[in-house]
Each structure stands twice: as structure tokens, then as C-alpha cells.
Amino acid sequence: MASDVKALPKPGTGRNRVIIENVRPQIDGGRFPAKRIIGDRVEVQADIFGDGHDHVAARLLYQKAGAPDWQVTPMVPLDNDRWSASFLVESLGRYRFTLVAGIDHFDTWRSGFEKKLAAGQDMSVELLNGAQLVDQAAKRARGAEATQLRKRAAALRQKPDIEVIEILPTTPSAAIEAALSPELAGAMARYPDTTLETRFARELEIHVDRERARFSSWYELFPRSTAPQPGAHGTFRDVEARLDYVQSLGFDVLYLPPIHPIGRSFRKGRNNTVTAEPEDVGSPWAIGATEGGHTDILPELGTLADFQHLRAAAESRGIELALDIAFQCAPDHPWVTKHPDWFKQRADGTIQYAENPPKKYQDIYPLDFESSDWQAMWDALRDVFLYWAGQGVRIFRVDNPHTKAFSFWEWVIASVQQQYPDALFLAEAFTRPRIMEQLAKLGFSQSYSYFCWRTTRPELETYGRELTQDPPDGTSQWE
């Protein structure tokens, strides 16, 4: 019966009969890369199945980002239509992978052939069907293997003028032996028919860090507190004198709070008192003065050459320096004068200082990530990381990243790691679990917080299970 209902369009992949789903590892449907450490073997699993009783074959495709070709490895069935394959990540940076799967007509034919042979059925037509499949594979093959496949197809047809090799003396028929040979099965698997394969809809990513992203032991000290004489201001040279002690404790990372010039306007005194005495040195997190900003060093600590000497001395002991990166400014920071639009203006025309009511931090101006000049500000902040990375620093402890735009962190971490793939970022985030999880997705290699929201044993046990057993979307950036 004719219908006035307009026919729905048919899918362009209507002949593709295999489904690929529940692929892992993936984060938020592939929105973010999963994470691994260099030298890890990445196990990829997926649910892969087709309609009917035909056999399925699946392959894992993977490559280092920027490589011209995909590497291919066959997947193996596990249980209940779950398939698996793995690949080794041998260098830092990004890898990508995807999956392809389709009906394996030769393996389906071979399975049916064995059953019919065992039942004593006439195999003549079955051998011809198999020969057709082998001929098709021969056209996809090249060189000597294409020739061998043509010979095996002839053997299945029982052509007397074609040499058939590797006949087992216990089989009654050379054709049947050729059909069941493992060599033929292997060759057919190497040259699959890909015309009707299903390809997974996304290319998923793996970000590969170095070993210290997985585990490192941090020792924190304030360089200004390391002077051997009481009341004197410590220097990088004084820190260097303590390296043997730090090494003896087993630490492999030495974390330095901000080493930059400290603002003088609204400088706080001891214990955050509003009035500073002449001898008070201020908070290291009130960054910026006439001497410079985030890419400069507090003169009392020493010079850039002194810093480099400290870094080299630490590295000779297996210790790596980690620098605090705090994206905020003292009122004296050069950016306040050059880029006032990077800061939030109050109704009275003054710049909004940091607050955590009832506490006030008049010596610190937060950056405004809603600034109309945000693109220039992002570039300047990225250049801070790049400067210190250029000085040999590869670990950054980022102060309060949860108070800055998420999109900024995704962009800046990727930008830095594009030039310095061994750069690591730790999030010092005094915040909630979901926000910490988001920071990890955006690129932070490590994090710590103070468990201000979970302090009892059940709360801590629940959080531990969230991190290790109940990851989002069935996978985890930590696994």
C-alpha cells in the first residue's frame, strides 16, 4: 500500500554490522585524555559485537601524536563480547588510539567448515566458497604473500597444476588440509576486508607523563628562613647548604614558595598584622615590586646565576626544584600599572584586593579572568611558565588554581607541555572533590588539599574508593 509518509533517510553505514561501545580508557566520552606514565602498557577494552552468528574481528589502532602512520594490533575476545588489546607508551606527550571491527567472513567460514567436516558432509562447495575468500585476500596482499594466497586458493579448488605446500600426511585431502592450516588463517588475518568495518566514532587520547607524576617526595622550605645566623635573611646559597640534609631524608623534590620580589604597599606584618614593621619582609605570595614580577627574583635571595647554581647542585643529588606559581599581584607589581584592565575595579575606582571574609588581604590583587583583555593576560601568564621552564624548572606547584578559569588551565598546560613535555603541574586546591577532579582532567599531574570537607574514617575511605574504584565514565585518569 502506498504511503504519503515521507521515507526517512537511510544511514550511510547501513552495511556495517558491528557495534563498538564502552571503550576504555576514556574520560568524559573522550573529552579529556586519560593519563599514563612513560613505559606503561595501556590496556584498551571495548564491547564489540555483531548481529547474527557471524564471527567478529577487531583491531586496535594507535600512534604517537604527530606520527604519520597508525600502528595496528589485533584485539582478543575476553568474555561476554568484551575485547582487549594493549600498546606501550614509550615517550612523553600525547598518544591517540581508536578501534575498528567488522565481520570476519573467513573465520566464520572456517568455523562452519570444521563443523560440517565433523558431521561428514560433502565439502566440495564449501571449499569453493573458501577459495573465493582467499582470492579476495590475495588481491589485498602484496608480493610473496599474495602469491602464496593465490596458491592456497588453488589448493582449495584442488587444482593439480599448483604446488600445495605443507600437507600433513594424516589428513585425507590436501584441499581440506590447506583450508584448515594455521598459516592460511594467519595470512587471512593480516589482510582483512576493511570495506565494511565499523570504526569507533572518536580518536581517544592518552597523555604520558614521567615517573615523578606518579610518585614523588616533596620537601618544602622558605629560602629566607635558611640563614645560619638568627635574624638574617637566607639566600639560595644557604638553601644549597641544606641539600645534603634533604637528600638524607629521601626527598627527591625541593619545593620553594614564591621567590619573586615582594610588594611593599599594604605589606603585612607578622601573623598577618595590618601594620608592618620596618624589618618585616612581607608575604612571598604578595608578588611584584619595583624590582620586577613573576619572572624576577627577590634580590635578598640572590641572582639568577645563584638560582641556577642551586638547581644544578640539587640535581646532582637526585633532587628536582619545584617552584610555586601564584597568579596574583601585589599593588606594586608592574602589571598593575601596565595592565590595569587585568584586575577587577571596585565602584570607588580602586582595585579589588583579595578577601576571605572576614579576612582581608590588601597586599594581594587577584587577576580578573573576565577581563576584556583576557587573551593578552593568558599569554603573559603562559610566558611565566615558559620562562622558568627555560631556566630548567619542570615542576610547578600552582597556588589556588581553582580560583582561575578552567579553560585557562587546559590551554596553558597544553601550551607549556607542547614545548616542555616533561613539565609537571601540581594543583594546590583548597576546594571540593569535583573541582579537584576537573583540574586533573584539565592537565594537572598531581594535587593536594587539606581534606577540609572529609575528616572522619568513613569519609576518607569513601574518598579513597572514589579515586581508585568509582571513576567517572567507567575509567580513570589515574589507572
Side-chain angles (χ1 to χ4, degrees):
M1 179 182 296
S3 174
D4 295 332
V5 178
K6 185 177 180 180
L8 294 175
K10 298 178 177 65
T13 57
R15 298 171 67 197
N16 299 42
R17 297 170 49 202
V18 172
I19 301 297
I20 303 174
E21 61 184 17
N22 296 327
V23 179
R24 61 178 302 182
Q26 63 171 302
I27 307 297
D28 289 0
R31 168 66 178 82
F32 302 102
K35 295 182 181 180
R36 293 296 185 273
I37 301 300
I38 188 168
D40 282 352
R41 181 163 289 278
V42 180
E43 183 181 7
V44 179
Q45 292 190 9
D47 293 335
I48 302 175
F49 54 91
D51 61 80
H53 302 287
D54 288 343
H55 292 198
V56 170
R59 304 190 309 282
L60 166 66
L61 280 57
Y62 65 95
Q63 65 178 184
K64 182 71 166 62
D69 300 312
W70 291 98
Q71 303 295 311
V72 182
T73 188
M75 301 190 76
V76 296
L78 299 176
D79 180 60
N80 195 25
D81 293 318
R82 193 70 175 165
W83 291 67
S84 176
S86 65
F87 64 98
L88 191 67
V89 288
E90 300 179 285
S91 59
L92 299 173
R94 295 287 177 98
Y95 282 74
R96 61 172 59 96
F97 70 91
T98 193
L99 306 176
V100 292
I103 299 299
D104 188 336
H105 292 286
F106 178 78
D107 195 60
T108 301
W109 169 84
R110 192 175 188 273
S111 176
F113 186 90
E114 291 176 325
K115 294 175 182 177
K116 293 175 183 179
L117 180 64
Q121 297 181 12
D122 178 21
M123 305 303 293
S124 57
V125 175
E126 289 300 319
L127 286 166
L128 294 177
N129 290 340
Q132 282 186 336
L133 295 172
V134 177
D135 275 333
Q136 292 166 7
K139 295 177 181 178
R140 296 190 292 269
R142 295 290 183 270
E145 198 149 37
T147 301
Q148 289 300 318
L149 283 168
R150 287 193 295 270
K151 288 182 178 182
R152 293 184 186 279
L156 267 61
R157 293 191 180 94
Q158 302 175 65
K159 295 285 186 179
D161 56 337
I162 300 293
E163 178 186 1
V164 181
I165 60 174
E166 300 176 11
I167 300 301
L168 296 176
T170 57
T171 55
S173 166
I176 291 175
E177 176 61 22
L180 297 177
S181 71
E183 292 79 12
L184 176 58
M188 293 295 288
R190 287 190 291 276
Y191 298 99
D193 182 1
T194 62
T195 55
L196 298 180
E197 279 188 328
T198 298
R199 188 183 182 102
F200 186 60
R202 298 196 68 155
E203 293 178 2
L204 301 171
E205 288 192 316
I206 302 288
H207 178 79
V208 181
D209 276 322
R210 54 195 174 98
E211 181 61 32
R212 279 187 178 161
R214 173 178 286 154
F215 178 80
S216 52
S217 299
W218 288 44
Y219 187 93
E220 177 184 2
L221 59 76
F222 285 77
R224 70 188 188 187
S225 301
T226 58
Q229 304 84 11
H233 196 292
T235 67
F236 291 139
R237 293 286 181 172
D238 296 327
V239 175
E240 195 171 323
R242 297 198 177 200
L243 289 176
D244 288 338
Y245 170 72
V246 174
Q247 182 188 31
S248 70
L249 297 177
F251 292 95
D252 54 20
V253 174
L254 176 61
Y255 156 53
L256 304 180
I259 59 173
H260 316 299
I262 298 172
R264 295 176 178 84
S265 298
F266 302 104
R267 177 175 287 189
K268 295 297 182 70
R270 294 186 180 187
N271 300 318
N272 202 40
T273 56
V274 176
T275 303
E277 299 299 329
E279 68 274 11
D280 287 331
V281 292
S283 168
W285 282 272
I287 298 171
T290 55
E291 296 88 351
H294 285 75
T295 57
D296 298 287
I297 293 174
L298 181 70
E300 287 84 350
L301 294 176
T303 65
L304 181 60
D306 294 329
F307 174 81
Q308 291 290 13
H309 197 276
L310 168 62
R311 186 179 63 82
E315 289 182 357
S316 70
R317 293 166 171 81
I319 299 172
E320 193 169 351
L321 291 188
L323 283 190
D324 190 293
I325 299 296
F327 284 145
Q328 58 199 29
C329 298
D332 306 319
H333 196 293
W335 286 348
V336 176
T337 301
K338 294 180 180 179
H339 304 284
D341 291 344
W342 293 3
F343 304 89
K344 186 174 294 186
Q345 306 289 324
R346 300 196 300 175
D348 62 358
T350 60
I351 292 178
Q352 175 65 60
Y353 52 79
E355 291 185 277
N356 184 16
K359 296 180 181 179
K360 298 181 179 181
Y361 303 97
Q362 297 94 333
D363 56 338
I364 293 175
Y365 289 168
L367 291 164
D368 180 11
F369 279 81
E370 294 183 351
S371 166
S372 60
D373 195 29
W374 64 272
Q375 296 191 55
M377 185 178 73
W378 280 27
D379 287 341
L381 300 180
R382 174 206 57 199
D383 291 346
V384 171
F385 283 118
L386 293 179
Y387 174 81
W388 290 110
Q391 300 302 322
V393 178
R394 294 293 191 277
I395 301 180
F396 300 100
R397 181 268 199 190
V398 179
D399 188 75
N400 286 322
H402 61 292
T403 63
K404 286 79 179 174
F406 291 136
S407 55
F408 166 73
W409 292 121
E410 183 175 17
W411 174 81
V412 77
I413 292 175
S415 297
V416 174
Q417 290 178 335
Q418 185 177 43
Q419 295 189 46
Y420 300 97
D422 57 342
L424 305 179
F425 296 80
L426 181 144
E428 183 270 337
F430 191 80
T431 186
R432 304 181 300 282
R434 296 288 79 79
I435 297 177
M436 293 178 68
E437 181 182 284
Q438 184 70 14
L439 292 170
K441 294 175 184 179
L442 297 172
F444 282 92
S445 310
Q446 297 179 335
S447 65
Y448 69 78
S449 188
Y450 309 103
F451 295 95
C452 54
W453 65 96
R454 295 181 180 185
T455 56
T456 67
R457 175 174 175 172
E459 290 172 332
L460 294 173
E461 288 178 344
T462 299
Y463 188 48
R465 282 193 295 270
E466 286 180 14
L467 291 178
T468 60
Q469 300 176 27
D470 302 318
D473 290 354
T475 187
S476 173
Q477 58 266 40
W478 309 117
E479 69 176 351

